Amino acid sequence: QVQLVESGGGLVQAGGSLRLSCAASGRTFNSYTMGWFRQAPGKEREFVAAIRWSGDNTNYADSVKGRFIISRDNAKNTVYLQMNSLKPEDTAVYTCAGYSGIYYRPMTALRSYDYWGQGTQVTVSS
């Protein structure tokens, strides 16, 4: 069982930056693929970014490519999402999620993920 707790959300002006963190419990975190998803009001949850257990394989949604960076520190059981050049359309609840790396599943698909955090609100003002 893995528990995920996000932090780092808040209110920021357009063009600003935020770094989200997701702290995981569990001894097997370093074997998990981790992802970030977001859900804006009235919209479906969507994929943002994901990273394999080794950190050498990442994937990004086209809407955030070049602005967001996902990384992980397995020694700290933490995955990060550095968000730069934020836009009002990035406003959403951001949630981290994970699944065991023993499963060959698509990193971008919600259905791949077994564990989910509670989410953290990111609001970007224009």
Side-chain angles (χ1 to χ4, degrees):
Q1 190 77 8
V2 175
Q3 291 185 325
L4 305 174
V5 179
E6 303 94 338
S7 61
L11 174 65
V12 64
Q13 288 188 334
S17 297
L18 281 175
R19 188 176 82 155
L20 305 183
S21 299
C22 174
S25 65
R27 294 175 293 177
T28 58
F29 169 80
N30 59 6
S31 68
Y32 275 61
T33 293
M34 299 298 297
W36 286 96
F37 294 80
R38 67 186 182 185
Q39 187 169 19
K43 295 187 177 181
E44 294 187 350
R45 182 175 284 178
E46 64 176 4
F47 169 77
V48 175
I51 186 168
R52 294 284 188 200
W53 67 272
S54 60
D56 61 355
N57 188 346
T58 58
N59 202 322
Y60 295 92
D62 287 343
S63 59
V64 306
K65 203 170 292 184
R67 300 188 296 123
F68 290 11
I69 301 171
I70 188 170
S71 62
R72 65 191 297 161
D73 185 337
N74 288 338
K76 296 183 178 180
N77 278 15
T78 302
V79 62
Y80 305 98
L81 186 67
Q82 178 67 43
M83 305 186 295
N84 302 318
S85 302
L86 283 161
K87 304 175 182 179
E89 51 263 44
D90 293 318
T91 294
V93 174
Y94 285 71
T95 305
C96 71
Y99 65 91
S100 174
I102 67 173
Y103 301 118
Y104 185 73
R105 299 172 179 172
M107 298 168 68
T108 61
L110 273 71
R111 67 182 186 277
S112 295
Y113 293 81
D114 298 313
Y115 302 102
W116 294 82
Q118 293 299 308
T120 185
Q121 176 70 47
V122 172
T123 303
V124 184
S125 63
S126 57

